[in-house]
Amino acid sequence: PLEPWHIRGSVVKGFGRGSKMLGIPTANLSTEGHTTLLSEHPSGVYFGWAGLPARGVYKMVMSIGWNPYFNNKEKTIEPWLLHEFDEDFYGKELHLVIVGYIRPEMNFPSLEKLIEKIHGDRRIAEKALELPLYLKYKDDPYLKAIG
Ligand code: ADP
Ligand code: MG
């Protein structure tokens, strides 16, 4: 298991591809102040807990990287919160406790394969986060802290 790490930032606009193209919305976290962290942690898919202050704490599966399929030039932090929301939450503060690593970033021959893989990642995250080892971090005060 990972030594859990904590990051927070505001939710910024990305290319809008997650929901529209993949049916998988990812709340892009502002990378401001996270450059060291971004360089220290390998690109790939992680899982953990996401806190939206004043709303709740949700399971999340997250990509950190360049999204090779889309050939991005900037490394991004993109958690998919495993919950159905009625509204967007752009501009809101998002707190993350990252507890596990699933796989390195990779490229895919088609959009279908990419989507399939992400759903596989989601299932892994859903199950892993029920294990006491990872479930306990749901109560981490960091997820609810304001400011
Ligand atoms: P963008 O490229 O701007 O990040 P996306 O298509 O990835 O656009 O959609 C992400 C946005 O959708 C988030 O910023 C958030 O406001 C909203 N959203 C709604 N439901 C979710 C969810 N379950 N997980 C992550 N973001 C969500
Ligand atoms: Mg996104």
Side-chain angles (χ1 to χ4, degrees):
L2 285 182
E3 185 56 41
W5 35 291
H6 299 72
I7 49 174
R8 67 184 183 203
S10 48
V11 176
V12 296
K13 280 258 176 199
F15 295 106
R17 282 187 297 232
S19 331
K20 289 191 201 85
M21 284 180 68
L22 313 176
I24 298 166
T26 58
N28 297 36
L29 202 71
S30 165
T31 52
E32 227 183 279
H34 296 313
T35 37
T36 319
L37 178 144
L38 278 174
S39 58
E40 281 172 357
H41 290 272
S43 296
V45 178
Y46 294 81
F47 62 89
W49 297 96
L52 274 171
R55 282 187 214 204
V57 174
Y58 311 95
K59 291 178 176 178
M60 62 90 184
V61 60
M62 173 181 87
S63 137
I64 289 191
W66 286 275
N67 298 332
Y69 185 85
F70 294 109
N71 206 4
N72 287 1
K73 298 288 173 279
E74 310 240 330
K75 213 172 178 184
T76 56
I77 307 172
E78 302 192 33
W80 176 21
L81 278 54
L82 304 180
H83 178 82
E84 291 279 332
F85 294 91
D86 297 332
E87 294 174 354
D88 285 349
F89 40 89
Y90 286 111
K92 298 281 189 261
E93 171 114 327
L94 186 64
H95 296 214
L96 304 175
V97 176
I98 296 123
V99 300
Y101 177 77
I102 299 178
R103 63 170 175 88
E105 184 163 53
M106 51 181 81
N107 207 342
F108 295 89
S110 69
L111 204 54
E112 287 66 34
K113 294 283 173 205
L114 168 64
I115 294 171
E116 239 177 72
K117 190 69 172 179
I118 298 173
H119 280 281
D121 297 333
R122 172 183 56 78
R123 286 189 294 269
I124 292 169
E126 294 258 19
K127 283 193 103 173
L129 288 165
E130 291 299 320
L131 300 172
L133 172 69
Y134 298 125
L135 187 58
K136 65 178 185 214
Y137 294 104
K138 188 179 183 181
D139 298 321
D140 191 318
Y142 183 83
L143 292 165
K144 289 178 183 157
I146 313 279

